[in-house]
Amino acid sequence: MAEVDAKLSLKERLDKIRSSPKLQNQQQTAVVLNAIEDTLRSQNSEPSPTSYFAALLSLLGQYISQEKGIVNKDVAYSVVYLLDLVTSHVPAPLLRSKFPQILASLAPALTHADAEAPLLRASVGCLESLLIAQDSQAWAQPQSPSSPRGAMGGLLALALDPRPKVRKRAQEALGDVLRQPPPSPSLDHPAADMCAETALRALQSQAEEASTKKRKHKSKTEPQHEPGLMHALQLVKSVASAEHGWPSRKIDSLCEVLLNISRGNSEFLTMAAFEVFEIIFAGLSDPVSSAKLPRLLDSIKELQPSQNDTQLLPPWIAVLSRGYDVSAQVEPDETFAKLPELFNKISGFLASSSHNIRVSASECLISLLHTCVPSTAILEPTIMDDKVLEKM
């Protein structure tokens, strides 16, 4: 949706544009709006979201097309800005039935080489509303230039755009679309797997590139962050922030890449990788999504680094600790029953020759005792509780 106060109704937003705009781009938008409303009056059409939408879409083709390019940047931006305001108010059945035609009209604004950041951001807003309106049947269509999956592919490409504001708006739109899946038995949005695959490929590619650069410049100080890698991590965060988190089938691969990023000397990148884990865990703390949690914890345990890996072992311990914290919130009894095995595993690191590993292990053990031992197991222990505590 347009980057204005989301609490305002469509009428209030349009009134705001009409009321003596001061900035030049607002003046142009007011001129376009007045022209649209004059046309609707002359045709005796009700000024509804649908009639505004149809008129704006028709006007868009006059100012942006693949053949003519962008005829007038100011007018083109004003038309798309108004479309962004209006699209979320258009009935969803219309946005579904006319999807290919609407996308074809919007595509030049999203893909043209001369499209500047403001135009792209408004176009992304239109696309977001258009995609949120699609149902399971529409998402089941194969990826093509005229299908919702094809449009999602374009949004994913913009989510890695070098321009910060364009990239941020596309990532926000991706998250919003994934957080509003159509009704279906599945936990995940129909496009979640596709988005996860694309984000993961980008992350793996950028991580490999950063690693190659590091090897080539061993004698030089490692840069604090790699822009491409940070952009890919931001995209992963957007996908992981969806309603039910990162898709189960892609969890193993993601954990491996994130832990490898965590082992670098860049504190900035390590923190960014940890933020992704934090988002994933936070997304799995509700009763529905928590079904994915055991798989995630197993994946992390399987990625245990070597006993003496001073770079990777501390972050791995920290991630495991946070995972069991979330697990204890969702399944307290089951998590408590698994605690002796984990406690013994982490206790083994207290004998490490590395100070950092010993500190990470001790902090993890303290955290596990604090978060994973129910108060009832101490105050009113059952026979089973006593057995679990004895094993620790």
Side-chain angles (χ1 to χ4, degrees):
M1 279 194 299
E3 296 166 273
V4 295
D5 189 346
K7 292 178 182 176
L8 296 178
S9 68
L10 178 60
K11 182 180 181 303
E12 287 170 325
R13 291 176 179 180
L14 296 179
D15 284 344
K16 205 172 178 181
I17 292 168
R18 293 186 198 99
S19 59
S20 58
K22 294 176 184 176
L23 299 176
Q24 189 177 350
N25 65 336
Q26 290 178 320
Q27 289 174 350
Q28 184 63 67
T29 304
V31 169
V32 171
L33 178 59
N34 288 332
I36 291 288
E37 291 175 333
D38 286 344
T39 303
L40 293 179
R41 277 193 291 271
S42 70
Q43 296 172 346
N44 293 321
S45 295
E46 184 72 25
S48 66
T50 302
S51 57
Y52 277 118
F53 183 74
L56 286 163
L57 212 56
S58 172
L59 193 58
L60 182 64
Q62 298 174 32
Y63 291 95
I64 307 178
S65 68
Q66 297 292 7
E67 298 78 24
K68 295 183 289 185
I70 300 175
V71 177
N72 183 314
K73 287 183 181 179
D74 290 339
V75 176
Y77 168 72
S78 295
V79 172
V80 178
Y81 178 84
L82 287 167
L83 266 173
D84 186 11
L85 285 180
V86 168
T87 307
S88 61
H89 297 272
V90 175
L94 176 63
L95 296 180
R96 285 197 287 271
S97 64
K98 298 290 184 184
F99 182 88
Q101 298 93 315
I102 297 168
L103 186 61
S105 299
L106 198 57
L110 286 158
T111 58
H112 201 280
D114 294 334
E116 294 176 351
L119 177 64
L120 279 170
R121 292 203 308 273
S123 303
V124 165
C126 299
L127 187 58
E128 176 190 327
S129 298
L130 189 58
L131 288 171
I132 287 171
Q134 302 310 302
D135 58 16
S136 296
Q137 188 177 351
W139 283 109
Q141 296 171 28
Q143 190 167 349
S144 73
S146 60
S147 73
R149 285 180 177 273
M152 202 69 161
L155 203 52
L156 283 160
L158 287 171
L160 291 168
D161 194 276
R163 289 163 290 187
K165 289 184 178 179
V166 172
R167 187 173 64 249
K168 183 184 177 190
R169 184 66 190 91
Q171 289 171 359
E172 286 172 353
L174 271 172
D176 288 342
V177 172
L178 292 174
R179 274 190 288 273
Q180 299 178 67
S184 83
S186 172
L187 269 183
D188 299 319
H189 190 285
D193 269 7
M194 167 194 167
C195 293
E197 282 171 13
T198 303
L200 191 55
R201 273 200 308 272
L203 187 61
Q204 287 169 329
S205 171
Q206 290 296 333
E208 285 166 13
E209 192 176 313
S211 180
T212 304
K213 277 185 193 174
K214 185 182 171 186
R215 283 197 301 272
K216 282 182 180 175
H217 305 93
K218 277 185 180 178
S219 59
K220 296 181 182 178
T221 307
E222 184 176 1
Q224 277 303 296
H225 66 282
E226 293 281 345
L229 189 49
M230 283 305 303
H231 300 167
L233 278 166
Q234 287 165 354
L235 176 55
V236 167
K237 277 199 263 186
S238 298
V239 177
S241 300
E243 183 69 20
H244 297 299
W246 190 265
S248 300
R249 291 186 291 277
K250 311 294 175 190
I251 278 178
D252 299 24
S253 307
L254 178 62
C255 289
E256 187 170 1
V257 181
L258 289 175
L259 283 168
N260 279 326
I261 291 170
S262 303
R263 74 183 300 165
N265 295 330
S266 169
E267 190 177 333
F268 194 66
L269 285 172
T270 300
M271 291 290 289
F274 268 40
E275 280 176 23
V276 178
F277 273 118
E278 187 63 36
I279 287 168
I280 294 171
F281 285 133
L284 299 183
S285 59
D286 70 82
V288 179
S289 307
S290 62
K292 297 179 182 179
L293 194 53
R295 169 73 178 271
L296 175 58
L297 291 174
D298 286 344
S299 297
I300 294 169
K301 282 193 283 189
E302 285 168 13
L303 289 167
Q304 180 182 331
S306 76
Q307 296 279 107
N308 301 312
D309 191 330
T310 55
Q311 284 187 307
L312 196 48
L313 207 49
W316 176 81
I317 291 171
V319 168
L320 202 57
S321 174
R322 177 67 180 113
Y324 273 86
D325 178 7
V326 174
S327 180
Q329 295 170 37
V330 181
E331 298 283 1
D333 294 337
E334 288 84 344
T335 306
F336 178 55
K338 294 174 185 173
L339 204 51
E341 180 193 348
L342 181 63
F343 215 78
N344 292 335
K345 181 189 284 286
I346 301 298
S347 297
F349 298 124
L350 293 173
S352 171
S353 58
S354 163
H355 173 72
N356 286 347
I357 292 175
R358 292 197 304 273
V359 169
S360 296
S362 60
E363 287 176 348
C364 177
L365 293 172
I366 292 167
S367 174
L368 292 173
L369 287 171
H370 179 66
T371 59
C372 301
V373 179
S375 56
T376 52
I378 304 296
L379 300 174
E380 299 172 12
T382 63
I383 294 171
M384 290 303 296
D385 291 339
D386 283 336
K387 285 182 178 179
V388 171
L389 291 168
E390 280 173 19
K391 289 178 185 175
M392 290 165 59

